[in-house]
Amino acid sequence: MTSDLAVNLMDTFPGRMLIDWWGEWRALHPEFSSAGQYADSIDTEDYSGRVAMVLHMYLYGGDFKDVIDLDASAPDIVEMSEAVAAALCSPSRETLLSPQSHHGNLTEFRALSVANRPRPSALPDGAFWTATKFACGNDAWLLHGEHDAERSPLRYDVHFDPAKARIARVDSAPTWEALLKAHPREHEGTVFPDWPSIAQEWDAVHVSLSGLLCAEPLISQVPYTGEDPSGYTHCQSGPYAGVAEWAVPSTAWLRPLAHMRVERTALAGGQAIDDR
């Protein structure tokens, strides 16, 4: 029986794009005896990089249209979707880990004033943002082109205890839908998150790798009509808006935690990153 996450992956454009991509790459590596073995061989940084790439292609390119007619029932597609779903659920690819990285000057934690953006969005205004750090020591923003070195030359490691924080995890379409149902902000028939309301209940919201792929408008509910060449409109339509704008696994903190600890990110030799 196909897992719920695998079905979710195959019902979104970013999910289909990643499955199709990994299927083509696996064909070039006959040394792997199964899709599961191949999916397990891909490290978390590479998953994150590919996810960021397909989200960009979904939002701003036309490449997602190549998978509209992908046969979701084909045995090789089902096998790869199950393999990727299992790999993304592995503890080794956990993205809500401490520390996470914050880019920009940081002198002290302050009370946050979280608001909705003037144009409805899956992103909040006024949140304190951190990105997942990987085994290589770099973080998702730095590795995947989301870091503006001139605007935010400084980086900090933010330490916290996930067990002591009320963090809403977005790992799939159902978890995102549940969060939006509890805190809705409707715009032109589509539900977006009401961030001030979410901040009353949660300390933070974290979107994982599987969340980035799966918490998008479902193709079965919002089929592509050909009116939007980029996919951005598709992401912002249907019953619920998608999370593609998050781009990488990251956390939007809606209030600082008393036990949080911050230190300047160290370079390879142990030296802190300079202020210049």
Side-chain angles (χ1 to χ4, degrees):
M1 180 180 292
T2 306
S3 70
D4 290 343
L5 187 62
V7 171
N8 195 168
L9 280 170
M10 290 307 303
D11 203 11
T12 70
F13 282 119
R16 283 191 181 189
M17 292 167 73
L18 187 71
I19 297 302
D20 189 48
W21 196 330
W22 281 156
E24 292 179 0
W25 274 91
R26 185 205 167 192
L28 300 176
H29 295 279
E31 67 271 22
F32 295 103
S33 61
S34 67
Q37 188 183 54
Y38 176 70
D40 285 341
S41 74
I42 303 167
D43 61 30
T44 307
E45 296 96 309
D46 203 3
Y47 268 109
S48 185
R50 298 298 177 180
V51 169
M53 189 174 296
V54 299
L55 290 174
H56 188 273
M57 293 162 67
Y58 169 49
L59 288 178
Y60 308 116
D63 307 77
F64 73 94
K65 290 179 284 188
D66 295 338
V67 297
I68 289 175
D69 298 321
L70 190 69
D71 184 0
S73 65
D76 58 331
I77 297 298
V78 172
E79 182 189 22
M80 184 56 71
S81 63
E82 286 285 8
V84 170
L88 292 177
C89 291
S90 169
S92 65
R93 293 181 185 81
E94 174 62 70
T95 54
L96 184 55
L97 299 170
S98 178
Q100 293 197 349
S101 182
H102 174 75
H103 293 203
N105 191 26
L106 178 61
T107 56
E108 63 179 358
F109 285 119
R110 55 179 174 77
L112 301 174
S113 180
V114 177
N116 295 317
R117 299 193 173 192
R119 179 176 181 178
S121 171
L123 302 173
D125 257 355
F128 174 75
W129 286 90
T130 59
T132 297
K133 292 194 70 171
F134 300 116
C136 64
N138 287 325
D139 62 78
W141 289 328
L142 194 66
L143 287 176
H144 309 323
E146 299 292 326
H147 173 62
D148 186 340
E150 293 186 2
R151 182 179 178 184
S152 304
L154 303 180
R155 286 188 289 135
Y156 292 83
D157 287 344
V158 179
H159 299 260
F160 61 96
D161 183 352
K164 294 181 179 179
R166 298 176 301 170
I167 303 176
R169 292 182 59 110
V170 177
D171 295 318
S172 63
T175 55
W176 178 239
E177 181 178 339
L179 183 66
L180 269 59
K181 276 186 175 180
H183 307 279
R185 183 192 184 201
E186 188 172 337
H187 176 72
E188 295 181 353
T190 296
V191 176
F192 291 81
D194 184 353
W195 287 105
S197 176
I198 293 173
Q200 294 298 312
E201 180 179 355
W202 299 98
D203 297 323
V205 174
H206 176 77
V207 179
S208 67
L209 287 170
S210 62
L212 288 167
L213 293 167
C214 293
E216 308 291 350
L218 302 180
I219 299 171
S220 59
Q221 295 179 350
V222 193
Y224 177 69
T225 63
E227 297 176 359
D228 175 25
S230 71
Y232 186 87
T233 300
H234 185 272
C235 181
Q236 303 289 320
S237 62
Y240 302 96
V243 301
E245 290 178 291
W246 284 63
V248 302
S250 49
T251 306
W253 295 91
L254 310 177
R255 61 168 59 86
L257 303 179
H259 73 273
M260 273 183 166
R261 179 172 58 84
V262 177
E263 60 187 14
R264 291 278 295 280
T265 301
L267 296 174
Q271 178 183 1
I273 292 177
D274 191 68
D275 291 77
R276 291 171 295 179

